[in-house]
Amino acid sequence: MNLLLEALAWLFSPDRLEGSHPLPAAFLAHLAYTFAAVAIAAAVAIPAGWAIGHTGRGRELAVGISGAARAIPSFGLILLLVLVLGVTRKPEAALIAFVLLAIPPILAGAYSGLEAIDRRIIDAGRAQGMSEWQILWRIEAPLGLALLVAGLRSAVLQVVATVTLAAYVNLGGLGYDIIQGLQLRRFEQVLGGAIAVAALALVLDGVFALLQRAAVPRHLRGGPRILSRTGPRVPAPA
């Protein structure tokens, strides 16, 4: 209990607002790496996932790649890319590692969102003369948006936790205080830094939970559906 009080006192100390590594700057650096990595991963994974979900081709390959990518150790991947690209390109190496870790959940959310749609709805669109692009943008993308947001939510939380390791290669962020505290054996600083990371993850999780709920089509919100932490698994047919 004393350690927790000491950690909170360290976290809310006025000294955290100044110095060479102020807490607001650490929050901004952490968020910058997180959203940059997720944005780049989304630009790659969403079109690929929609193509897989729309055509039904390549699903096994996507599942295999996603499973293999999830098994890669984050810390080892960062260090490997730093060694390959050189110490002068540490930010690029870390960002590539974060992108690779963010792609699998976004890819899974993109294609599973389209696969979960009742095929009768898509057949009805084709029967009305819609083109494949119209079916994708006007039927599949809106109905699969909730699971896509769930994939983005999972990616953001995973990257937020992993960006903490960026401090091992001197890239700052909220992990700096944790690593420095371990080296100096200041455990209140270690716990304070961990609380800051956890608080940031909880805030982002809450924001994406609201976005995920808003992404469910209005006419489906009152219907029967299975809800979980990752969103509606089986949307009710329109």
Side-chain angles (χ1 to χ4, degrees), residues 9-119:
W10 175 87
L11 189 61
F12 293 103
S13 172
D15 295 339
R16 303 280 72 74
L17 301 177
E18 53 190 31
S20 58
H21 292 279
L23 194 60
F27 269 107
L28 291 177
H30 212 95
L31 287 172
Y33 276 112
T34 299
F35 285 111
V38 172
I40 296 172
V44 175
I46 292 177
W50 279 353
I52 293 170
H54 180 74
T55 62
R57 301 171 184 170
R59 185 182 185 280
E60 293 77 11
L61 178 61
V63 171
I65 293 175
S66 298
R70 291 174 190 268
I72 297 175
S74 307
F75 185 48
L77 180 60
I78 294 173
L79 293 182
L80 175 63
L81 289 173
V82 168
L83 293 175
V84 171
L85 298 180
V87 293
T88 60
R89 296 183 176 273
K90 289 187 290 186
E92 293 88 342
L95 186 60
I96 292 173
F98 302 148
V99 169
L100 293 177
L101 293 173
I103 285 178
I106 300 176
L107 181 64
Y111 72 72
S112 63
L114 270 60
E115 287 182 344
I117 301 171
D118 192 334
R119 294 294 99 183

Side-chain angles (χ1 to χ4, degrees), residues 146-168:
L147 286 178
L148 174 59
V149 175
L152 290 169
R153 178 183 178 184
S154 177
V156 167
L157 294 178
Q158 182 171 352
V159 174
V160 161
T162 308
V163 169
T164 307
L165 300 175
Y168 274 104

Side-chain angles (χ1 to χ4, degrees), residues 113-184:
L114 270 60
E115 287 182 344
I117 301 171
D118 192 334
R119 294 294 99 183
R120 292 173 296 179
I121 302 175
I122 299 174
D123 292 339
R126 289 196 176 101
Q128 292 178 3
M130 285 187 176
S131 66
E132 294 301 314
W133 279 106
Q134 289 175 323
I135 291 173
L136 175 62
W137 289 108
R138 298 178 62 180
I139 298 178
E140 292 179 322
L143 293 178
L145 185 59
L147 286 178
L148 174 59
V149 175
L152 290 169
R153 178 183 178 184
S154 177
V156 167
L157 294 178
Q158 182 171 352
V159 174
V160 161
T162 308
V163 169
T164 307
L165 300 175
Y168 274 104
V169 288
N170 296 323
L171 294 180
L174 294 173
Y176 175 83
D177 293 314
I178 297 175
I179 295 172
Q180 185 186 59
L182 288 173
Q183 294 173 345
L184 300 177

